[in-house]
Structure formats: C-alpha cells, structure tokens
Amino acid sequence: MKRETVLKHEFVEYIPNHLKEGTIYISVTFGTVVHKCCCGCGNEVITPLSPTDWKVTFDGESISLYPSIGNWNFDCKSHYWIKNSRVEWDKKRSGKEINSGRHQDYLYKSKYYGKNSLSPDKDITANDRASKSDKLEAKNNFWSRLRSWWC
Ligand SMILES: [Zn+2]
C-alpha cells in the first residue's frame, strides 16, 4: 500500500464510478468531494460540503479540505489533512486514543439515553416476546429449507 503525499484534483459534475488513486474529485453541483483513502487501502472517502461538514478551497492551483479526514470506520484508521493538494499525515494519534475517544462517546450516549431506556428484564412486552419467537421460527425454517435442499 502506498501512502499518497500529493493529490491531483478533478472538478466533475458526477462522481465517476471508478476513482483513481491519488485524485480528489470535487462535484460543486452535488456539493460533494470524494477521494480514495490516501493510505492506499482503496476505501472511498465521501466528504459532503456544507457549512457544518467539510469545506473545500481552491486557490487556482491546489485544493484544501477542512476539517481533517478521519477514517475511523476503515480498518486503516488513517487520519490526515489535505492542504494545498498535499496530504499531511497525523503521526500523533494512536489506536489507543481513538478507542478511548469512542469509549467517551459511548459513555456520553449511555448517560444521555440511559434514563429513558427500558430494562430488558422487567419491561419486556408480549409483543417483544412474540417478535422474538417469530425470528426464531424464521431461523428454523431457513435451516430446515437448507436441509431439504441438501437431501
Ligand atoms: Zn485507508
């Protein structure tokens, strides 16, 4: 896998189906910027442009994207900035920090939603029970069908 350091850019109306490595595609029409993850993993990074999402600047020669690109959902977990068509890699952020950040987020959410959430032991309703046994039945049907194909 090759880490990109310099990106080319293309202004397009529609984002092409096959993205070239090391190229950043800007669709002003759809307010979207797409590029392949700069680590070389091949994942496509879609950054919507809006006042609350990403902003792209074009100085006539090069492209900058703000804020940074944090691909936490990809295996590579890469984090970088695109400034003047150059990729600036974040060297400081380790996997441990990412996990603790996620944990914080989880804690915050469970604190926030905790009050209203139902306890699964006490508040289970008849409907819940029914839908659970439906699912089980569907699963059993699936296996028996599979078995009948084999026999
Ligand atoms: Zn990657």
Side-chain angles (χ1 to χ4, degrees), residues 9-55:
H9 62 266
E10 282 182 28
F11 285 98
V12 292
E13 186 172 4
Y14 298 97
I15 303 295
N17 286 331
H18 297 286
L19 306 180
K20 283 179 269 179
E21 302 268 350
T23 304
I24 187 160
Y25 297 88
I26 302 113
S27 168
V28 175
T29 314
F30 294 99
T32 306
V33 174
V34 181
H35 70 281
K36 277 200 168 185
C37 179
C38 293
C39 86
C41 68
N43 282 306
E44 290 176 9
V45 183
I46 300 163
T47 44
L49 302 174
S50 87
T52 53
D53 293 301
W54 280 268
K55 295 162 191 45

Side-chain angles (χ1 to χ4, degrees), residues 98-149:
I98 295 164
N99 283 337
S100 82
R102 277 196 177 164
H103 189 58
Q104 285 301 324
D105 191 47
Y106 170 76
L107 285 180
Y108 173 75
K109 278 185 184 138
S110 52
K111 212 169 164 184
Y112 185 81
Y113 295 112
K115 270 186 285 180
N116 302 321
S117 72
L118 300 172
S119 154
D121 294 328
K122 286 178 205 156
D123 297 314
I124 193 159
T125 62
N127 277 340
D128 281 335
R129 279 207 193 92
S131 75
K132 254 178 207 154
S133 66
D134 277 356
K135 265 178 218 153
L136 203 69
E137 212 167 276
K139 206 173 161 190
N140 286 339
N141 283 341
F142 172 76
W143 284 111
S144 60
R145 232 182 304 148
L146 204 66
R147 256 184 238 121
S148 65
W149 286 337

Side-chain angles (χ1 to χ4, degrees), residues 1 36-45 71 74-80 89:
M1 291 204 294
K36 277 200 168 185
C37 179
C38 293
C39 86
C41 68
N43 282 306
E44 290 176 9
V45 183
N71 295 326
F74 300 160
D75 286 343
C76 64
K77 309 256 187 293
S78 55
H79 183 214
Y80 49 85
W89 290 91

Side-chain angles (χ1 to χ4, degrees), residues 2 4-12 20-26 33-36 38 56 58 61-64 82 84-87:
K2 184 176 149 272
E4 304 288 344
T5 47
V6 183
L7 297 175
K8 286 185 274 242
H9 62 266
E10 282 182 28
F11 285 98
V12 292
K20 283 179 269 179
E21 302 268 350
T23 304
I24 187 160
Y25 297 88
I26 302 113
V33 174
V34 181
H35 70 281
K36 277 200 168 185
C38 293
V56 72
F58 176 54
E61 284 183 5
S62 64
I63 291 290
S64 301
I82 296 172
N84 300 319
S85 294
R86 296 188 74 85
V87 184

